[in-house]
Amino acid sequence: MVAEEALALLDRLLPEYGLNNLQETVFCQVWEGKTYAEIANAYSYEHSYIRDVGFRLWQQLSEALSQKISKSNVRAVLSRYARSEQIASPPQRLDLTRQSEDRPPLECPTGPVPLHSPLYVERPPIEIQTYQEVLQPGSLIRIKAPTFRGKTSLLRRLLVHSQVQGLKTVSLSFHRADRAIFSDIDRFLRWLCANLSYQLGVEPRLNDYWNGDLGSKVSCTIYIEEYLLAQFEAPVAIALDELNLLFAFPQLCSEFFPLLRTWYEDSRESAPWQRLRWVLAYATEVYVPLQIHQSPFNVGLAIRLPEFTPAQIVDLAQRHGLDSSTIERLDPFVQMIGCCPGLVRMALFHLAQGTVSIAQLIREAPTLGGIYSNHLRQLLAALSPHPALQAAYQAIVTAPEPISLDPVMAYRLDSLGLIKLNSNRAEPACDLYRQYFAAFLPVDPALFTQAESLS
């Protein structure tokens, strides 16, 4: 059985587990007896990156087939499947350009990309950087990007990688916390410790460690160090997703973020704290004033998720099963929406479903009835509590060329993903935003005059 036949067999065995292009390449080369070093050299990748791709590939196949798959036994295992009576005649490998009805159903393009989805696009070297950093004692990783850029998709893959490497993992999304939790530092830290205990499978014993005389921050520190970490020999990776939700509570931020910074600094000297690995994911930076030595946002590995490249968009279009003629006609639409991963993914999904044409997408995208209407309304809602910010953006979308802007205004609009900055001048992130917000952004004329004075 040659490599292409083995891939066809996997298509039959695992129709919902599509492999991406690099995984297919590694699989075929390993099947033909190549080493990771030889594959890396032949395809101009780092050896460690190819090794990690292979490791995750065998892990994925092991979970899907419910037996151990490795580089050394993959040929033997799949050969046994090929000889079985249930799969006597494996079909031809799926063509990426076949019609969508011949393919497994595509997942809805809202929320994170599922772990085993063939539609996740890696953005080298980001994945390998984070996978390596989370294994370092006392590490802290900061993943920053506006909405629709793939923060949570990367975060979930990073946690799976951590588990494969033997780490305990905890994932806390502040979307799931009651608003009242954020009203008081003591209540917040007790919530944090209770959730850490629950996800680590440890009986909560907060009252045994909480001491009013010492204060909640010291009590929390002692609880994590002397109780939670003492339960395990393995390191623990703690992911704080949607951290920007805390930014609406300045008093809480002014107490919690310096505490988080001290925990990170403790890992420089303290063995227990070296076993903690922090991953922070957030859409915007904190606006609460913090001393530079108190902020956790200027330490550790900073990851800012980029947009897709044109080549990645073509690759993703192929994975959606779009034919070559459709892909060749994508350029005008991509020029309109830019290369934002979430916007691209949503467009390709609708094209693959055959519910709209490219011309229809271009015509309807910036309207209330287009496929981006919910996303655009959410951005409009994010601007609505801030009249001066609305006015600043109105000035940008109506200007014939990029304009200079107050640094704070530019910073906040950039954090929302609404602008591109070229030196000190700002323009809309894409023509979709220019058209929509020029039509629907309400602005007080007095504030518009004020925004123009900032440029």
Side-chain angles (χ1 to χ4, degrees):
M1 182 164 53
V2 300
E4 286 296 315
E5 292 173 330
L7 281 173
L9 178 58
L10 285 179
D11 285 338
R12 174 67 176 269
L13 290 172
L14 309 170
E16 74 283 9
Y17 282 78
L19 304 182
N20 62 39
N21 288 353
L22 184 54
Q23 286 177 319
E24 289 188 356
T25 298
V26 171
F27 179 91
C28 291
Q29 293 295 304
V30 167
W31 190 270
E32 299 299 336
K34 297 293 193 298
T35 66
Y36 290 146
E38 290 171 332
I39 300 171
N41 183 61
Y43 291 89
S44 300
Y45 282 96
E46 291 291 334
H47 178 209
S48 59
Y49 184 61
I50 293 296
R51 184 179 61 225
D52 192 73
V53 170
F55 181 85
R56 287 182 284 124
L57 172 60
W58 312 133
Q59 180 70 19
Q60 177 180 332
L61 294 180
S62 297
E63 293 175 0
L65 297 174
S66 300
Q67 63 176 297
K68 179 66 175 178
I69 305 292
S70 67
K71 182 173 178 284
S72 59
N73 75 351
V74 61
R75 289 179 64 101
V77 172
L78 291 186
S79 294
R80 284 197 298 270
Y81 273 102
R83 292 194 300 267
S84 67
E85 293 181 357
Q86 289 78 16
I87 311 176
S89 301
Q92 294 297 311
R93 181 166 173 260
L94 288 176
D95 184 349
L96 287 172
T97 61
R98 287 169 64 179
Q99 296 298 315
S100 59
E101 61 266 23
D102 295 328
R103 301 172 55 83
L106 297 171
E107 67 265 9
C108 186
T110 55
V113 182
L115 284 173
H116 296 298
S117 171
L119 303 182
Y120 179 76
V121 177
E122 292 191 348
R123 285 172 271 186
I126 286 174
E127 283 79 10
I128 194 64
Q129 282 182 326
T130 56
Y131 293 165
Q132 291 175 344
E133 185 68 17
V134 78
L135 302 181
Q136 302 305 310
S139 60
L140 185 148
I141 301 170
R142 295 180 286 115
I143 304 172
K144 178 182 179 292
T147 185
F148 262 40
R149 293 293 177 89
K151 295 186 301 297
T152 304
S153 297
L154 172 61
L155 184 64
R156 292 184 177 181
R157 284 158 177 80
L158 177 57
L159 291 179
V160 169
H161 172 78
S162 301
Q163 292 169 354
V164 170
Q165 297 297 323
L167 277 68
K168 298 285 185 180
T169 62
V170 174
S171 179
L172 298 178
S173 175
F174 293 111
H175 273 307
R176 299 180 180 179
D178 298 339
R179 186 177 178 85
I181 296 296
F182 305 136
S183 63
D184 176 76
I185 186 63
D186 182 75
R187 188 169 183 179
F188 174 79
L189 292 178
R190 289 182 68 93
W191 174 88
L192 176 68
C193 289
N195 276 271
L196 292 176
S197 302
Y198 174 77
Q199 291 200 32
L200 291 170
V202 175
E203 179 186 359
R205 292 178 53 192
L206 275 67
N207 291 335
D208 293 344
Y209 289 84
W210 232 255
N211 186 314
D213 293 330
L214 292 177
S216 55
K217 288 188 279 190
V218 173
S219 297
C220 177
T221 301
I222 294 173
Y223 185 84
I224 293 175
E225 179 177 346
E226 297 187 4
Y227 179 58
L228 287 183
L229 293 178
Q231 308 294 318
F232 310 102
E233 294 183 1
V236 179
I238 300 176
L240 304 181
D241 198 10
E242 301 293 347
L243 191 63
N244 47 280
L245 294 180
L246 300 188
F247 300 166
F249 303 90
Q251 184 59 41
L252 177 64
C253 291
S254 67
E255 297 199 67
F256 175 61
F257 291 143
L259 176 63
L260 185 57
R261 172 66 177 258
T262 66
W263 291 340
Y264 170 75
E265 291 177 342
D266 287 345
S267 69
R268 305 302 94 184
E269 304 291 341
S270 171
W273 289 95
Q274 288 178 0
R275 292 166 51 210
L276 271 186
R277 321 294 161 79
W278 296 95
V279 186
L280 314 180
Y282 50 100
T284 62
E285 297 280 10
V286 62
Y287 301 135
V288 180
L290 294 172
Q291 297 295 325
I292 190 170
H293 64 278
Q294 294 180 328
S295 173
F297 300 100
N298 55 16
V299 294
L301 174 65
I303 298 293
R304 186 178 177 107
L305 293 180
E307 294 186 334
F308 285 156
T309 65
Q312 287 170 330
I313 294 176
V314 170
D315 176 48
L316 187 57
Q318 291 174 335
R319 298 189 209 179
H320 278 77
L322 299 182
D323 58 45
S324 56
S325 63
T326 301
I327 294 174
E328 289 171 357
R329 290 184 285 112
L330 279 176
D331 279 352
F333 184 66
V334 171
Q335 290 176 9
M336 178 186 188
I337 65 171
C339 298
C340 173
L343 299 182
V344 170
R345 184 176 166 222
M346 185 173 291
L348 296 180
F349 171 82
H350 285 279
L351 288 172
Q353 297 296 307
T355 56
V356 293
S357 65
I358 293 178
Q360 186 179 354
L361 281 178
I362 294 174
R363 183 172 63 253
E364 297 180 354
T367 71
L368 297 177
I371 64 173
Y372 300 121
S373 58
N374 287 337
H375 171 65
L376 294 170
R377 281 197 298 267
Q378 288 172 0
L379 290 174
L380 187 61
L383 292 176
S384 63
H386 310 287
L389 202 60
Q390 292 184 47
Y393 198 53
Q394 182 78 348
I396 293 171
V397 299
T398 56
E401 59 185 24
I403 65 173
S404 59
L405 202 62
D406 172 76
V408 174
M409 295 292 185
Y411 175 75
R412 295 189 176 189
L413 292 170
D414 181 49
S415 296
L416 289 170
L418 286 170
I419 61 173
K420 293 187 294 188
L421 289 170
N422 184 6
S423 297
N424 294 322
R425 305 183 73 82
E427 62 181 321
C430 59
D431 197 49
L432 170 68
Y433 292 165
R434 183 190 297 277
Q435 293 184 44
Y436 178 83
F437 286 99
F440 294 105
L441 190 62
V443 169
D444 185 323
L447 288 174
F448 184 80
T449 302
Q450 175 184 348
E452 286 185 316
S453 68
L454 297 174
S455 63

